[in-house]
């Protein structure tokens, strides 16, 4: 039976049950199929999504806005200079006022605390479109992609190589919701946050999936079904970029590393990519790469989230 998710926030995948994650993915598959059959899907007719951005975006902005339009609704872009989140007025006032105008709020923030505050004070669903801590919508699109390419999600090995950042955190939460093993190979000092690892490990026990945090990228990709990477310097950490370049050099996804993975391994990257840094042109443009399908699936996964929550 369908689970009623109306009015819920999507701040973290960890807040969702396994059944809710599966429902989002299954609904996304149906919405995608109908989209390709040119069926009208006016599921959000008359609804408006407010989209707050403190940082730049290609995929998140365009996929949310397009998703709303395709579902019969509309979206309003509120860029860094429009409402000046965190600068012009209290976040709780923004949440309370916006809730009187729109049916849902999608936000991309620097601090995760601002995201939590928005969710606390908004009476409409708040969807996390990336914070310094998490990127749940990205990972829902990623899971949809892996499911499409591999035909299943459980009993797969995902190797994440690089920074223990927002994407890595959400991948940890996402993998253990669907029974996937996940190994992260990160440079010493760039591990995911302890609190996230502990929460994910708690959840992993319930479904018997394995979490490992190691430092050797070769060992991580051994036997992996999917390899994932992200930029070495996330938005907001630009000052550290030179130091990070040195620390992350051995963590590049290149042909050498790929040779240690399974023959049918798929390569994922949330994009934007810094070609020549975390991934080579040869690999991101090569036959194992699914990054463009992965970017497309942001649209379908988020349409599902919007249809279920708003
Ligand atoms: N992957 C992702 O969130 O891309 P944008 O920063 O372009 O939205
Ligand atoms: N980790 C990256 C993801 C960008 C989509 C960042 O936060 O900048």
């Amino acid at each position: 039976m369908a689970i009623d998710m109306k009015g819920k926030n999507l701040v973290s995948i960890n807040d969702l049950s396994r059944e809710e994650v599966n429902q989002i993915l299954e609904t996304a598959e149906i919405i995608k199929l109908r989209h390709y059959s040119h069926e009208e899907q006016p599921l959000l007719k008359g609804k408006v999504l407010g989209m707050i951005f403190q940082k730049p975006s290609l995929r998140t902005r365009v996929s949310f806005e397009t998703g709303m339009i395709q579902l019969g609704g509309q979206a309003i872009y509120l860029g860094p200079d429009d409402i000046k989140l965190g600068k012009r007025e209290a976040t709780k006032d923004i949440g309370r006022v916006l809730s009187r105008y729109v049916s849902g709020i999608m936000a991309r923030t620097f601090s995760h605390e601002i995201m939590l505050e928005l969710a606390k004070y908004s009476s409409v669903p708040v969807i996390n479109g990336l914070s310094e801590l998490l990127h749940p919508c990205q990972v829902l699109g990623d899971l949809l992609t892996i499911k499409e390419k591999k035909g299943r999600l459980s009993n797969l090995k995902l190797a994440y190589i690089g920074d223990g950042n927002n994407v890595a955190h959400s991948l940890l939460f996402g993998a253990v919701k669907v029974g996937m093993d996940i190994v992260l190979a990160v440079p010493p000092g760039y591990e995911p946050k302890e609190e996230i690892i502990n929460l994910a490990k708690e959840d992993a026990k319930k479904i018997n999936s394995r979490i490992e945090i190691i430092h050797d990228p070769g060992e991580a990709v051994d036997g992996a079904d999917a390899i994932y990477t992200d930029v070495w310097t996330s938005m907001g950490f630009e000052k550290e970029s030179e130091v990070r370049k040195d620390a992350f050099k051995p963590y590049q996804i290149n042909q050498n590393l790929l040779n240690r993975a399974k023959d049918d391994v798929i390569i994922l990257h949330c994009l934007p990519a810094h070609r020549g840094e975390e991934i080579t042109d040869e690999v991101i443009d090569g036959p194992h790469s699914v990054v463009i399908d992965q970017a497309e699936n942001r649209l379908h996964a988020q349409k599902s989230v919007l249809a279920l929550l708003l």
Side-chain angles (χ1 to χ4, degrees), residues 88-281:
R88 188 164 176 262
E89 60 187 312
T91 303
K92 61 175 167 187
D93 290 339
I94 294 178
R96 291 193 292 209
V97 171
L98 262 184
S99 298
R100 299 290 176 99
Y101 302 139
V102 299
S103 323
I105 298 168
M106 192 281 297
R108 167 165 287 194
T109 61
F110 283 100
S111 90
H112 190 65
E113 283 63 41
I114 289 198
M115 186 71 68
L116 291 172
E117 209 181 341
L118 255 186
K120 182 173 173 193
Y121 288 99
S122 302
S123 54
V124 296
V126 168
I127 300 169
N128 180 354
L130 181 147
S131 67
E132 246 161 41
L133 190 72
L134 299 170
H135 198 0
C137 294
Q138 177 64 51
V139 168
L140 291 170
D142 300 339
L143 294 178
L144 183 63
T145 309
I146 297 171
K147 195 173 172 200
E148 276 178 5
K149 302 291 175 191
K150 295 287 170 193
R152 67 179 198 284
L153 286 168
S154 56
N155 300 316
L156 290 175
K157 177 181 172 184
L158 171 65
Y160 174 92
I161 315 293
D163 189 17
N165 62 15
N166 45 9
V167 171
H169 289 156
S170 286
L171 279 172
L172 276 166
F173 285 152
V176 300
K177 285 287 173 210
V178 298
M180 202 185 277
D181 291 337
I182 177 165
V183 183
L184 284 83
V186 300
Y190 294 94
E191 291 84 3
K193 284 197 189 308
E194 202 65 38
E195 74 202 65
I196 303 280
I197 300 173
N198 290 340
L199 284 170
K201 279 194 170 158
E202 240 172 72
D203 210 16
K205 273 191 235 147
K206 297 178 205 151
I207 200 168
N208 216 10
S209 81
R210 206 168 48 98
I211 293 179
E212 255 191 297
I213 318 288
I214 59 174
H215 298 303
D216 178 357
E219 190 187 327
V221 305
D222 259 343
D225 300 285
I227 300 174
Y228 199 119
T229 191
D230 184 13
V231 290
W232 293 339
T233 302
S234 286
M235 293 179 278
F237 294 83
E238 288 79 4
K239 276 199 201 118
E240 299 174 15
S241 118
E242 285 312 308
V243 179
R244 282 171 171 266
K245 265 184 202 160
D246 284 339
F248 283 89
K249 215 168 248 152
Y251 293 81
Q252 184 187 63
I253 312 289
N254 51 36
Q255 195 53 49
N256 256 348
L257 192 67
L258 208 59
N259 292 341
R260 292 189 61 167
K262 280 188 177 168
D263 289 343
D264 62 351
V265 70
I266 55 170
I267 306 293
L268 296 115
H269 191 310
C270 57
L271 303 178
H274 289 175
R275 288 164 173 258
E277 290 187 14
E278 74 274 5
I279 193 161
T280 58
D281 283 327

